[in-house]
Amino acid sequence: MSGWFNVISPFMTRFRISRARRIKRAFPDIENRSITDIGGSLHFWSLVKSEMQPKQIMIYNIALDSQFDAANLREAGNIQATVYDGKHIPVDDKEIDILVCNSVIEHVPPGDRVGLAREISRVARNYIIQTPAKAFPLELHFLMPFLHWLPRPVGRALAKFSPFGLVQRNAMLTRQFFDEINLLTAKEFRSLFPEGQLVIERFLFIPKSYLIINKA
């Protein structure tokens, strides 16, 4: 999906930089602290390094694509990446200083989300979790209005006509990607992390993303 990333990256840059500034406000001394990023990417950290540069970043992902090749990791310097099973974060209780999870939980099967939320609460002393808002009229993964508000079978059929589908030109991949994504309401998201503070990112006064910030 690297081609699609190149399409949406300019669109998302503003929001990611804004989110980095919010993280920096929550943790002003972040340059002296370590971050664990669940489901993260080198692209995100490269984009926001002008806003924040943690001392160390560990990325856990269920698979490592070409962005994590040895040359890119050497260039990143303070970033390491490893594969995990998507369910158990292989660290001890409260071992992680700050955990970040950007636009991941909407890709997790609904039946597994409570387990992931409990695992995050187990391992992290502080965390910031972000997910796109279901209330936002543009489905940001596909850049298609109202796609996520339609009945699932209808949305699945129409996804191939979205900018994502037209760029990928692979109907099976597009259907699989659509089936993977289930956006959350604010209430659903809040219920997973009741101990954290809900923050709403808005665009044109409409909720665009939800964040949960939990500080020890």
Side-chain angles (χ1 to χ4, degrees):
M1 296 186 188
S2 59
W4 180 239
F5 174 81
N6 292 332
V7 171
I8 66 171
S9 182
F11 179 77
M12 300 304 294
T13 295
R14 170 187 170 186
F15 300 118
R16 289 172 174 169
I17 289 176
S18 175
R19 191 168 306 131
R21 289 171 178 166
R22 190 180 297 276
I23 294 172
K24 182 70 181 288
R25 288 197 299 272
F27 302 99
D29 59 342
I30 200 164
E31 282 76 13
N32 300 317
R33 303 177 74 164
S34 296
I35 279 184
T36 294
D37 187 347
I38 302 298
S41 71
L42 292 183
H43 302 303
F44 174 82
W45 293 106
S46 174
L47 182 65
V48 304
K49 65 182 180 181
S50 63
E51 303 298 330
M52 62 172 182
Q53 296 190 51
K55 180 175 68 175
Q56 186 69 36
I57 301 165
M58 170 59 81
I59 297 174
Y60 285 97
N61 235 320
I62 59 173
L64 299 182
D65 60 21
S66 59
Q67 69 173 296
F68 292 105
D69 64 23
N72 286 337
L73 285 170
R74 279 197 303 272
E75 184 177 348
N78 67 332
I79 301 178
Q80 296 176 283
T82 191
V83 173
Y84 85 120
D85 64 7
K87 296 182 183 294
H88 175 73
I89 303 171
V91 302
D92 293 334
D93 293 1
K94 303 303 180 186
E95 182 177 330
I96 293 172
D97 182 11
I98 303 172
L99 184 148
V100 171
C101 187
N102 273 307
S103 294
V104 170
I105 200 160
E106 71 272 14
H107 297 269
V108 175
D112 294 338
R113 290 172 180 172
V114 169
L116 175 61
R118 287 175 178 168
E119 187 70 353
I120 288 171
S121 297
R122 178 186 72 82
V123 300
R125 299 189 294 276
N126 308 278
Y127 57 76
I128 298 179
I129 317 298
Q130 180 271 344
T131 192
K134 192 172 184 177
F136 196 60
L138 182 67
E139 210 299 343
L140 294 171
H141 297 87
F142 292 87
L143 291 185
M144 188 172 189
F146 317 125
L147 185 68
H148 53 305
W149 292 354
L150 299 171
R152 294 291 293 181
V154 177
R156 190 173 191 263
L158 292 178
K160 65 182 179 181
F161 301 110
S162 69
F164 174 91
L166 296 174
V167 168
Q168 293 298 325
R169 293 186 292 182
N170 184 320
M172 181 177 294
L173 185 150
T174 299
R175 288 194 299 269
Q176 290 173 346
F177 193 47
F178 180 84
D179 290 344
E180 175 187 308
I181 299 166
N182 287 273
L183 299 184
L184 291 83
T185 66
K187 183 178 180 180
E188 289 168 335
F189 189 46
R190 187 76 179 85
S191 70
L192 294 172
F193 303 97
E195 69 275 20
Q197 175 193 4
L198 177 67
V199 176
I200 300 176
E201 292 182 331
R202 297 180 186 271
F203 180 71
L204 299 178
F205 306 105
I206 304 171
K208 186 203 73 70
S209 298
Y210 304 127
L211 291 91
I212 293 285
I213 301 176
N214 187 63
K215 297 176 65 176

